């Protein structure tokens, strides 16, 4: 019998809704949703990934039974009971021998709100704040910057407000590839149908940037120089919003003084963008009545990423483009539940509801709800966990839906760290580069094989219904975690008989989600935008009545220029950077298994500028050796005119992180993925 089941797309953070069609319980297709007003993808539009959103889960490579390592690279099937017993005995033994800080946990932006709530609760119940997810690697600089200045980081307005903007800014962001429905439904329409002015900033003139009225093409990670010069120009030329600044902002005079030295010419020298273009961008930005500023990893993923995001937030504030209709700014996570994992406190320094671990009263409130003490010191951030494992202080990992062996910078080092750990549990839907280091592998249900909630970049929490049975003996992540907790002797804190029980506890612990109850979300199929203080309310726009700071005002932070980590020199004269393809996703753990995507987006390559190619004697399709201080690889090049000269860039998905450096931003601990110095030589023959 044919049936259809409503789910949220399991790929990016736009949160598109779709029906999975099943025939006798087996998924056979996707149907568009045109009968639920208010969903993030009006008319049910989907992108190439969304159109085949269930396909990865039907791959024959699925993990279907618990596995135990019996020799290097060799696993044997075991029962769930055996797996639970082994995990409990090894983790308790390691905790007893080395202390709780020897345990590290990874949650996932690819798992539900409930799964992420439980993995961080499990970490803390074991006495460890070493719990992180990949949000650290892509959005943490944005989150830290905006929290410091505004008191809160998420996207401020509904995406539909982009249609009301008269200026749209895409900064280091190519939504045509990473969030295609957002791009097509809102950004393109705002520009093409509504006539919004369009500023784009990127080292590559991407599909998203093709309509730009003002296009800036800086060297990777030099954006901070451009923004600082724009702030200076806007202030010097009286283009800022005096009324807004007087009423809502602290620190303006200090900001004005701090940017005095940052001239347009100075920024030109650092970024490689002409002073005239920077001036045009500053004027266009400042003259907008309603500016939508969408910034992402091109700006974030640098060791100066937090400083750049702080400067951009300053610019948004002094031009008064926040706290009203028709504007937008804020963190845009990559994956479909990055926002949910973040809000659930899968963070070494934050508890659910973004409560800092060090906030005594906030921590005690959660302790009262949970019935156990939470360690009061922040744990290790994502990158530091692997350094600690290599050094020997972290001994065990519990990894849910993460692939650090491919996703982290200097990944050869990460693999050595994983080899050194005494015990690793990996919970996933497929074998990955990381699961091969696991002692126990637990098979998880795919997204449409279980019910649960996810939160889109737009703060919208939506319920997904179970569409099909899980492969083999795979189970929903929340159920596995509750079972592990019981095996570890923590059952009284993890007494859940359904996913509703978990979300109901979240409703009590996280005030912003109080009204997002299972009963509401099952009925209100477009979901609701947090904060929602009761079952009737939601908050489409933030900061309409000021900022969540002690005096209700935003606090500008003066920029101080810092370079973006490793920059080219005589020995390594090129900038190595990365980008995303529309038909692949992250390290490919799902999209490589989706036949339609894998057949079309088949292998890694590198973009190189045509003038650089000519100089190197390289033609389209030739192979080059790309070498950094860490390692080297051979890759085919695509010679194009629209990448900045001196930059070579590869799609992220095929794993070249053994070339990148593990340096992190001081404030946010985000790795500087987007800049490494490299040399390039033609491979002959
Ligand atoms: Fe899925 Fe994102 Fe594509 Fe929408 S835009 S269908 S959420 S991948």
């Amino acid at each position: 019998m044919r049936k259809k089941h409503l789910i949220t797309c399991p790929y990016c953070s736009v949160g598109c809704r779709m029906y999975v069609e099943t025939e006798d319980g087996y998924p056979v297709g996707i149907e568009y949703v045109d009968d639920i007003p208010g969903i993030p993808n009006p008319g049910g539009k989907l992108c190439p990934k969304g159109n085949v959103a269930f396909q990865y889960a039907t791959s024959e490579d699925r993990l279907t039974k618990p596995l135990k390592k019996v020799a290097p690279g060799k696993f044997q099937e075991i029962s769930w009971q055996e797996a639970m017993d082994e995990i409990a005995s090894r983790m308790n033994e390691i905790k007893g021998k080395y202390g709780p800080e020897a345990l590290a946990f990874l949650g996932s932006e690819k798992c539900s709100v409930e799964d992420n709530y439980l993995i961080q609760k499990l970490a803390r119940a074991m006495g460890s704040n070493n719990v992180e997810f990949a949000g650290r690697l892509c959005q943490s600089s944005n989150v830290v910057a905006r929290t410091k200045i505004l008191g809160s980081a998420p996207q401020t307005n509904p995406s539909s407000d982009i249609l009301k903007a008269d200026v749209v800014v895409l900064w280091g962001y190519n939504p045509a590839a990473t969030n295609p429905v957002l791009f097509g439904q809102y950004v393109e329409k705002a520009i093409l149908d509504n006539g919004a002015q369009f500023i784009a900033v990127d080292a590559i003139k991407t599909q998203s940037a093709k309509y730009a009225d003002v296009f800036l093409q800086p060297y990777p990670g030099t954006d901070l120089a451009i923004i600082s010069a724009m702030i200076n120009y806007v202030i010097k030329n009286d283009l800022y919003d005096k009324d807004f600044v007087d009423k809502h902002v602290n620190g303006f005079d200090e900001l004005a003084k701090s940017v005095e030295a940052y001239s347009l010419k100075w920024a030109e020298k650092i970024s490689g963008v002409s002073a005239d273009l920077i001036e045009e961008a500053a004027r266009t930005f400042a003259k907008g009545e309603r500016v939508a500023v969408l910034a992402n990893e091109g700006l974030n993923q640098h060791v100066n990423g937090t400083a750049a995001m702080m400067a951009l937030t300053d610019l948004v504030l002094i031009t008064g483009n926040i706290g009203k209709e028709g504007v937008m700014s804020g963190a845009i996570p990559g994956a479909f539940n990055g926002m949910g994992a973040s809000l659930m406190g899968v963070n070494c320094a934050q508890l659910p509801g973004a409560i800092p671990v060090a906030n005594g009263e906030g921590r005690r409130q959660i302790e009262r709800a949970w019935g156990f003490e939470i360690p009061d010191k922040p744990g290790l951030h994502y990158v530091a966990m692997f350094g600690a494992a290599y050094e020997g202080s972290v001994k065990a990992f519990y990894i849910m839906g993460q692939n650090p062996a491919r996703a982290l910078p200097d990944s050869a080092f990460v693999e050595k760290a994983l080899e050194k750990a005494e015990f690793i549990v990996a919970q996933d839907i497929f074998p990955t580069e990381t699961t091969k280091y696991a002692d126990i592998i637990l098979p998880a249900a795919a997204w449409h094989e279980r019910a649960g909630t996810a939160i889109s970049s737009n703060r919208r929490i939506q319920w997904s219904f179970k569409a099909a049975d899980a492969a083999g003996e795979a189970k929903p992540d929340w159920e596995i975690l509750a079972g592990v907790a019981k095996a570890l002797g923590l059952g009284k804190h993890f007494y859940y008989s359904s996913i509703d029980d978990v979300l109901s506890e979240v409703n009590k612990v996280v005030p912003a989600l109080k009204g997002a109850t299972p009963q509401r979300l099952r009925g209100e199929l477009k979901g609701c935008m947090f904060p929602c203080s009761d079952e009737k309310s939601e908050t489409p726009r933030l900061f309409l009545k000021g900022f969540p700071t002690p005096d209700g005002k935003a606090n500008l932070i003066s920029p101080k220029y810092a370079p973006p980590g490793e920059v080219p020199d005589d020995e390594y004269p090129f900038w190595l950077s990365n980008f995303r393809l529309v038909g692949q996703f992250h390290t490919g753990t799902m999209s490589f298994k989706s036949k339609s995507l894998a057949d079309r987006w088949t292998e890694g390559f590198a973009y190189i500028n045509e003038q650089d190619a000519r100089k190197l004697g390289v033609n389209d399709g030739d192979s080059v050796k790309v070498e950094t201080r860490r390692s080297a690889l051979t890759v085919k090049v695509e010679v194009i005119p629209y990448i900045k000269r001196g930059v070579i860039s590869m799609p992220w998905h095929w794993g070249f992180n053994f070339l990148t450096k593990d340096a992190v931003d001081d404030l946010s601990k985000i790795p500087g993925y987007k800049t490494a110095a490299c040399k390039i030589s033609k491979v002959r023959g």
Side-chain angles (χ1 to χ4, degrees), residues 9 11-16 18 46-47 49-50 178-182:
C9 177
Y11 284 106
C12 91
S13 65
V14 176
C16 296
M18 64 185 69
L46 298 171
C47 76
K49 293 189 288 284
T178 55
N179 303 114
V181 170
L182 175 91

Side-chain angles (χ1 to χ4, degrees), residues 61-68 75 80 83-84 87-88 91 104-120 122-123 132-133 382 396-404 418 423-447 450 473-488 494 499 589-590:
D61 297 345
R62 283 288 297 276
L63 291 164
T64 55
K65 292 197 170 182
L67 301 172
K68 178 177 177 172
F75 293 87
W80 273 103
M84 293 292 162
I87 293 168
M91 288 187 70
F105 297 77
L106 292 175
S108 178
E109 65 290 351
K110 297 194 282 278
C111 296
S112 75
V113 165
E114 297 77 15
D115 306 331
N116 280 291
Y117 176 75
L118 289 190
I119 196 156
Q120 62 78 34
L122 179 63
E132 289 268 296
F133 82 104
Y382 204 140
F397 284 96
Y398 194 113
I399 301 174
M400 175 177 81
Q402 292 286 280
N403 190 11
L418 286 165
F423 184 64
I424 298 175
V425 181
Q427 181 173 314
D428 218 311
I429 52 178
F430 290 112
T432 67
E433 290 79 5
T434 300
T435 60
K436 70 180 185 210
Y437 294 99
D439 296 278
I440 299 287
I441 301 176
L442 301 176
W447 180 239
R450 37 78 53 87
E473 294 179 17
K475 294 183 184 185
D477 290 287
W478 74 267
E479 213 176 303
I480 300 173
L481 292 167
V484 167
K486 280 181 197 135
L488 284 161
F494 289 79
I499 193 141
T589 50
M590 289 158 63

Side-chain angles (χ1 to χ4, degrees), residues 218-229:
Y219 293 117
T222 60
D223 316 72
L224 175 57
I226 295 175
I227 304 168
S228 302

Side-chain angles (χ1 to χ4, degrees), residues 199 230 233-234 237 239 278-288:
I199 302 168
M230 285 171 73
Y233 181 87
V234 166
N237 289 280
L239 294 171
I278 301 173
E279 178 181 354
E280 196 183 341
R283 291 194 82 81
T284 307
F285 194 119
K287 287 196 163 175

Side-chain angles (χ1 to χ4, degrees), residues 577-644:
S577 196
N578 66 72
F579 61 96
R580 271 79 170 145
L581 295 172
V582 67
Q584 286 296 348
F585 192 66
H586 287 191
T587 62
T589 50
M590 289 158 63
S591 53
F592 288 172
K593 306 291 180 186
S594 183
K595 192 174 178 320
S596 309
L597 302 176
D599 283 353
R600 189 162 157 207
W601 288 274
T602 50
E603 61 178 342
F605 59 93
Y607 282 145
I608 188 167
N609 180 279
E610 55 189 8
Q611 294 186 52
D612 292 329
R614 206 171 301 133
K615 229 172 147 184
L616 291 163
V618 167
N619 294 311
D620 207 46
D622 283 351
S623 291
V624 297
K625 183 178 174 192
V626 179
E627 195 176 348
T628 68
R629 289 187 171 82
R630 285 141 305 274
S631 195
L633 66 64
T634 299
V635 66
K636 280 193 179 151
V637 292
E638 201 172 316
V639 177
I640 57 172
Y642 44 86
I643 184 169
K644 180 95 175 165

